[in-house]
Amino acid sequence: MTNNPTLDAPASHRNGTSGAVPGWVSLSPKFRKKLDIQSWEAWRSHLQQREKPHSVRSIFKGQKVSPLSWAYFAADTLDERTHGLLENLWQVARGKGKKAVNAASMLQNWLADLDQRLADRNLALELLAWTYALPELACRLDENTWWNLFGTLYSHGVDAQATSFDNPVFEQALAGELPLALGLQFPELSRSGELIDTACRIIEQGLSNLTDGQGMLSASNLRHTRPLLATWTRSTLLARQLGKRKLNRDAQLQFDWLVRQAVRLTRGDGTQGLGLGLAARYSKALFESALELVEDPEDREIAEATLPPGKRSLKKLGHLSLPSYESAWSNLAILRTDWSVGASRCLVTHDRPELEIELETRRELLLSGRIVTQLTIAGASLEPEGEWEQVGWMADDDGDYLELEQTWTGDVKLQRLIFLAREDQFLWFADTVLAGENGGRIEYRCQLPIQQGVAIHPTEETRDVHLLGKQAAATLLPVALSEWRSDPRLGKVATDQGVTIEAVGEGYGLHVPLFFDLDASHRDAPRTWRHLTVAEKLEYLPRDKAVAYRVQVGKRNWIFYRSLTAKANRTFLGVNLISETLIARLSSEGEVEKLLEVVAAEE
């Protein structure tokens, strides 16, 4: 089946017999002696007077806005009628709007072009809206119309449960939540009750198969995080009406993890990281409802700090687990300085040849999008030939470290290291080209995805670049290049169309690091950097074997080192090491305080 499954229903399900009640509808044994569905008045009266199952207005208590509007599935377009339909039908489900909502006319218009809208991903939400409103609609529709609507909804649920979805994301609403809602709302009808067990299994399997074991979706499905959270939150609330037949323990655990991951992915303004449109928007009601279902109180503490408006101070967050996360299965990593709503945050996905990144500080995006990289060696243009592979990850009190590797033409390796310093508030973004025996003149070009609306202000004499948003600011130092614009030998920075870094080198490798100063208190501080001499056995090494740098911002100093060859004993600035990578802080007394040390790959 395609990603946009066909929702059409078999005619036998839609029409049944010539009477108002479809021939395939029958009462469950529990109700056969005390209820007659052939009597429309008796059936309608029963739906209004019954105590169980609980109505959706009690299950989703306090929800004046439709819970189906919490999040829409990511789609190229959203039918403009969808939101209005959801809200109008929610008023019906709540027993409101009897004069304002003409249900019969609304249903007639909806059915008129239903067949032309079967590819709409968010049509599942409209089906659910009619399902939630069905009990109340018995007082607003005639007998034939009501039963035909029930048959239409039922057939979609049955067909979805029998369908093999290419993308199981959409299975969750169509084959999980929709049949579950029908089964729970109409336990009197045997066929609808038969849908429940399969629906629960589909929801359980979705929570297990669509996440990495700790609630994170794959990078390819990341944009559906909130729609799925909404579907699974509603489904969990519905399933809890089943008592002993509620979702199993593993599904509950995955749901709890998902809630934390959804909080972790949240931007300072409440939208979802790397999300687009209505699928990424922030719904306070969604998170409040989801958090009521989780069992770990730490999740609620984290949400209070991270979700807008972010009420908890940093001093009260020290006891919480680290805010960072990495998943090789999901092909993504979240580097984050702390849980506060204004924290510096770097989200990276690497499921495609071009890595996608999002950099935020003080509730504002500075970078967002794909990083476009070009490599040329000895005049020949190279292309990526493999997927990005995670070769390093660590998160501790000093910061978060991610390293990825990708193979290019001729077995050339591109290694990308990202380190977000927690206390020091900087991001170190470093590309290393390892050409090996294919070395020669290496030309490197990287275009950064500057967020729209961020102003780019290069300095006149040096290569510092200031990135200025409405509230946030960062300064980019292209450390691989000479600090002064008057020296073009190592490359240049172009800022006429975004920010593009160009670097050149000779030999077996090239290291191109970028230093992003994210500390707001440094805005007017002087900045400088220097290339340091690296020695091995009392001989100075060329840049294609090892490089080191010193960066100074105000009175703060850091040193950085990278080896481009096999493990060897090296010295720079009085530091002796055999590591592949070193990032360290220099104290005012000149002492080296290591933030990150990566040993050689073979270690």
Side-chain angles (χ1 to χ4, degrees):
M1 194 169 193
T2 64
N3 288 351
N4 298 318
T6 299
L7 304 178
D8 202 7
S12 59
H13 285 176
R14 288 199 301 269
N15 300 323
T17 64
S18 59
V21 181
W24 49 270
V25 174
S26 62
L27 288 170
S28 62
K30 181 179 178 181
F31 292 90
R32 285 175 186 168
K33 293 183 178 180
K34 55 184 179 181
L35 183 61
D36 180 12
I37 57 175
Q38 299 298 329
S39 169
W40 174 242
E41 291 302 322
W43 174 244
R44 184 166 60 179
S45 177
H46 167 75
L47 292 179
Q48 294 301 304
Q49 297 176 9
R50 62 183 183 173
E51 295 181 0
K52 289 187 177 181
H54 297 294
S55 66
V56 290
R57 62 176 175 266
S58 62
I59 295 174
F60 303 108
K61 54 186 177 182
Q63 298 289 328
K64 294 183 179 181
V65 176
S66 172
L68 295 168
S69 298
W70 285 343
Y72 294 98
F73 286 101
D76 294 334
T77 59
L78 179 69
D79 192 285
E80 61 183 9
R81 295 166 293 183
T82 297
H83 182 75
L85 182 75
L86 300 189
E87 294 306 324
N88 283 330
L89 286 175
W90 180 242
Q91 296 308 311
V92 173
R94 295 175 64 223
K96 307 288 186 180
K98 292 183 179 180
K99 295 182 179 180
V101 179
N102 187 330
S105 176
M106 189 164 53
L107 176 60
Q108 184 179 13
N109 293 333
W110 183 75
L111 290 172
D113 60 353
L114 177 61
D115 290 343
Q116 284 72 48
R117 300 180 59 226
L118 296 180
D120 186 347
R121 291 174 175 176
N122 286 291
L123 185 59
L125 299 180
E126 298 182 19
L127 293 167
L128 279 161
W130 287 110
T131 300
Y132 286 168
L134 264 179
E136 289 289 336
L137 285 171
C139 293
R140 306 192 188 201
L141 302 176
D142 62 60
E143 182 179 7
N144 281 308
T145 302
W146 193 94
W147 281 113
N148 284 332
L149 174 59
F150 176 87
T152 298
L153 299 172
Y154 175 84
S155 66
H156 286 313
V158 170
D159 289 351
Q161 288 190 343
T163 296
S164 177
F165 285 71
D166 288 345
N167 189 339
V169 163
F170 310 107
E171 179 183 29
Q172 297 304 296
L174 283 169
E177 185 182 357
L178 175 60
L180 181 61
L182 278 169
L184 281 168
Q185 290 218 94
F186 300 102
E188 303 91 345
L189 306 179
S190 58
R191 288 292 183 90
S192 62
E194 292 168 1
L195 300 175
I196 290 178
D197 288 338
T198 301
C200 286
R201 286 198 301 270
I202 288 170
I203 296 296
E204 291 168 350
Q205 291 168 0
L207 280 161
S208 175
N209 298 337
L210 289 171
T211 63
D212 65 350
Q214 294 188 21
M216 183 63 76
L217 274 71
S218 66
S220 59
N221 284 326
L222 194 67
R223 58 185 176 165
H224 298 302
T225 297
R226 289 191 175 174
L228 280 175
L229 175 62
T231 289
W232 288 332
T233 298
R234 293 189 300 264
S235 297
T236 301
L237 286 167
L238 293 170
R240 289 197 172 189
Q241 304 301 313
L242 294 168
K244 293 182 180 180
R245 290 200 295 172
K246 63 184 179 181
L247 302 181
N248 63 34
R249 177 65 183 171
D250 182 64
Q252 178 63 49
L253 180 61
Q254 293 308 313
F255 178 83
D256 289 359
W257 275 112
L258 172 71
V259 174
R260 180 172 295 193
Q261 302 294 18
V263 172
R264 182 178 267 122
L265 285 164
T266 300
R267 296 167 177 156
D269 64 359
T271 57
Q272 182 188 302
L274 290 178
L276 295 172
L278 292 174
R281 70 175 182 173
Y282 177 62
S283 168
K284 182 180 179 181
L286 168 59
F287 280 95
E288 287 180 343
S289 300
L291 286 163
E292 287 182 2
L293 298 173
V294 300
E295 299 179 357
D296 189 345
E298 186 179 52
D299 289 317
R300 289 182 282 276
E301 288 189 77
I302 289 171
E304 187 178 349
T306 306
L307 300 178
K311 298 179 180 179
R312 296 178 67 91
S313 68
L314 284 176
K315 294 181 180 179
K316 297 180 180 180
L317 303 179
H319 66 288
L320 298 177
S321 56
L322 289 175
S324 316
Y325 186 77
E326 188 276 337
S327 173
W329 182 91
S330 299
N331 289 315
L332 62 80
I334 305 170
L335 295 75
R336 188 171 184 137
T337 54
D338 57 68
W339 282 114
S340 70
V341 71
S344 295
R345 180 184 61 85
C346 182
L347 171 59
V348 178
T349 62
H350 51 89
D351 59 320
R352 300 177 182 181
E354 291 181 347
L355 180 146
E356 196 164 7
I357 191 171
E358 188 170 275
L359 177 62
E360 177 186 37
T361 187
R362 296 176 63 83
R363 306 191 186 198
E364 193 167 5
L365 289 177
L366 298 177
L367 305 180
S368 183
R370 298 184 186 180
I371 298 176
V372 180
T373 309
Q374 297 173 320
L375 295 178
T376 300
I377 297 183
S381 297
L382 309 186
E383 298 292 337
E385 293 187 338
E387 301 295 328
W388 285 102
E389 178 186 359
Q390 186 260 82
V391 294
W393 166 258
M394 186 180 70
D396 60 19
D397 291 340
D398 292 318
D400 303 325
Y401 150 74
L402 173 69
E403 189 161 6
L404 305 167
E405 182 176 277
Q406 185 181 52
T407 301
W408 286 55
T409 309
D411 202 33
V412 172
K413 306 293 184 184
L414 174 62
Q415 294 179 344
R416 181 161 284 165
L417 184 150
I418 303 173
F419 179 75
L420 180 62
R422 207 173 301 286
E423 178 184 345
D424 298 61
Q425 289 287 316
F426 69 79
L427 181 78
W428 182 254
F429 180 97
D431 275 355
T432 304
V433 181
L434 299 176
E437 297 300 322
N438 297 317
R441 179 177 172 82
I442 303 173
E443 298 176 53
Y444 166 96
R445 189 177 189 272
C446 178
Q447 185 174 2
L448 300 176
I450 305 299
Q451 174 69 6
Q452 185 176 5
V454 172
I456 303 170
H457 292 282
T459 53
E460 292 184 3
E461 296 183 346
T462 64
R463 290 198 167 92
D464 308 36
V465 178
H466 301 293
L467 304 176
L468 304 178
K470 294 180 180 179
Q471 300 179 10
T475 300
L476 166 62
L477 308 182
V479 179
L481 312 182
S482 171
E483 179 179 3
W484 301 97
R485 290 181 176 274
S486 58
D487 183 358
R489 290 174 296 173
L490 301 179
K492 65 179 183 179
V493 178
T495 56
D496 51 342
Q497 294 181 343
V499 175
T500 301
I501 312 298
E502 297 182 10
V504 296
E506 295 282 346
Y508 300 113
L510 176 66
H511 186 61
V512 188
L514 305 175
F515 179 95
F516 290 86
D517 182 10
L518 305 175
D519 194 327
S521 66
H522 292 167
R523 182 165 183 173
D524 298 322
R527 299 172 177 85
T528 187
W529 69 91
R530 294 289 182 271
H531 294 204
L532 303 176
T533 300
V534 181
E536 179 183 345
K537 296 180 181 179
L538 302 179
E539 293 185 1
Y540 295 150
L541 294 179
R543 291 193 307 122
D544 66 332
K545 291 188 176 181
V547 289
Y549 310 94
R550 177 171 177 167
V551 174
Q552 181 176 353
V553 179
K555 296 181 179 180
R556 307 191 73 181
N557 287 268
W558 299 272
I559 55 174
F560 303 87
Y561 168 83
R562 168 67 200 232
S563 172
L564 283 72
T565 64
K567 180 175 63 177
N569 192 303
R570 308 269 172 71
T571 302
F572 74 98
L573 202 67
V575 179
N576 184 267
L577 75 170
I578 59 172
S579 306
E580 180 178 276
T581 297
L582 176 70
I583 298 176
R585 180 193 306 123
L586 283 179
S587 71
S588 56
E589 292 79 22
E591 296 181 355
V592 176
E593 301 171 358
K594 295 180 181 179
L595 301 177
L596 172 70
E597 185 171 19
V598 181
V599 297
E602 59 266 26
E603 297 295 316

